[in-house]
């Protein structure tokens, strides 16, 4: 599982570097000025139960008019932060705690969140588990789309903890 997370982060990093290089050279734009069909696909080494196509789990990047739309959570970031701050008991006992991390969700083409994990871990395994437990309650999403077609996608959500309070 650790290798899958590391590879996912590495792929996003390499994708970002490739994107910057392509666009710096002007190669990423079509004659109409759009980003065309630029697509990032997550490498899936172990099958993810519940996705529609393990070979096509996308890292959606809605840039310009490229037809990519990220999966939409059933709650706003503010509502998720409120849930986290209300339900994560670790922070109630550690009010001066500060840290940061990232959650990776896999949302299938039907809008079901089928996997949730911490990508960038905090300094506390207990805190990570409590954060994942809250995100696991957000099962129904609006699926990501590419040119109007629902697709499986990876969603990364960064968070910061300052003085025992989580912000997204």
């Amino acid at each position: 599982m650790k290798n899958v997370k590391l590879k996912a982060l590495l792929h996003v990093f390499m994708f970002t570097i490739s994107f910057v290089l392509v666009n710096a050279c002007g190669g990423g734009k079509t004659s109409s000025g759009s980003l065309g069909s630029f697509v990032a696909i997550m490498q899936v080494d172990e099958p993810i139960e519940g996705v529609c196509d393990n070979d096509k789990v996308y890292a959606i990047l809605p840039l310009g008019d490229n037809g990519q739309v990220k999966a939409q959570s059933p709650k706003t970031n503010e509502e998720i932060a409120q849930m986290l701050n209300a339900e994560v008991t670790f922070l109630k006992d550690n009010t001066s705690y500060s840290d940061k991390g990232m959650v990776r969700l896999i949302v299938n083409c039907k809008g079901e969140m089928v996997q949730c994990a911490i990508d960038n871990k905090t300094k506390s395994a207990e805190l990570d588990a409590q954060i994942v437990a809250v995100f696991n309650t957000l099962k129904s999403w609006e699926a990501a789309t590419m040119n109007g077609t629902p697709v499986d996608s990876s969603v990364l959500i960064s968070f910061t903890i300052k003085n025992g309070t989580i912000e997204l």
Side-chain angles (χ1 to χ4, degrees), residues 2 21 26 28 33 42 48 53 60 79 82 88 94 106 119 149:
K2 200 174 213 179
L21 292 174
M42 186 176 112
I48 301 170
D53 186 348
I60 297 294
E79 291 171 324
Q82 287 175 348
V88 173
N94 297 283
I106 303 296
D119 247 15
T149 302

Side-chain angles (χ1 to χ4, degrees), residues 4-127:
V4 172
K5 291 178 191 175
L6 183 58
K7 285 182 180 181
L9 282 175
L10 182 58
H11 286 283
V12 170
F13 175 73
M14 293 305 294
F15 167 77
T16 303
I17 295 297
S18 299
F19 175 75
V20 169
L21 292 174
V22 167
N23 284 310
C25 298
K29 296 192 177 205
T30 63
S31 59
S32 66
S34 73
L35 293 170
S37 60
F38 194 69
V39 175
I41 299 175
M42 186 176 112
Q43 179 179 341
V44 177
D45 293 330
E46 298 174 20
I48 301 170
E49 187 175 332
V51 297
C52 302
D53 186 348
N54 274 288
D55 293 328
K56 294 182 181 172
V57 177
Y58 294 95
I60 297 294
L61 298 162
L63 303 168
D65 59 351
N66 68 355
Q68 297 181 33
V69 177
K70 287 185 177 186
Q72 295 298 309
S73 169
K75 305 238 180 229
T76 66
N77 281 351
E78 293 79 18
E79 291 171 324
I80 296 170
Q82 287 175 348
M83 288 173 55
L84 289 164
N85 287 310
E87 298 175 32
V88 173
T89 58
F90 176 89
L91 296 174
K92 292 178 182 175
D93 298 330
N94 297 283
T95 56
S96 63
Y97 188 87
S98 294
D99 208 341
K100 59 185 174 180
M102 184 181 299
V103 176
R104 180 184 36 82
L105 310 168
I106 303 296
V107 178
N108 71 14
C109 69
K110 299 172 191 170
E112 302 162 336
M113 192 260 294
V114 296
Q115 189 178 85
C116 177
I118 295 286
D119 247 15
N120 291 346
K121 294 181 179 185
T122 67
K123 296 174 264 184
S124 167
E126 178 185 355
L127 173 61

Side-chain angles (χ1 to χ4, degrees), residues 131-149:
I131 289 171
V132 166
V134 171
F135 274 97
N136 271 326
T137 66
L138 305 172
K139 291 294 187 188
S140 295
W141 289 58
E142 188 174 318
T145 61
M146 292 186 62
N147 298 317
T149 302

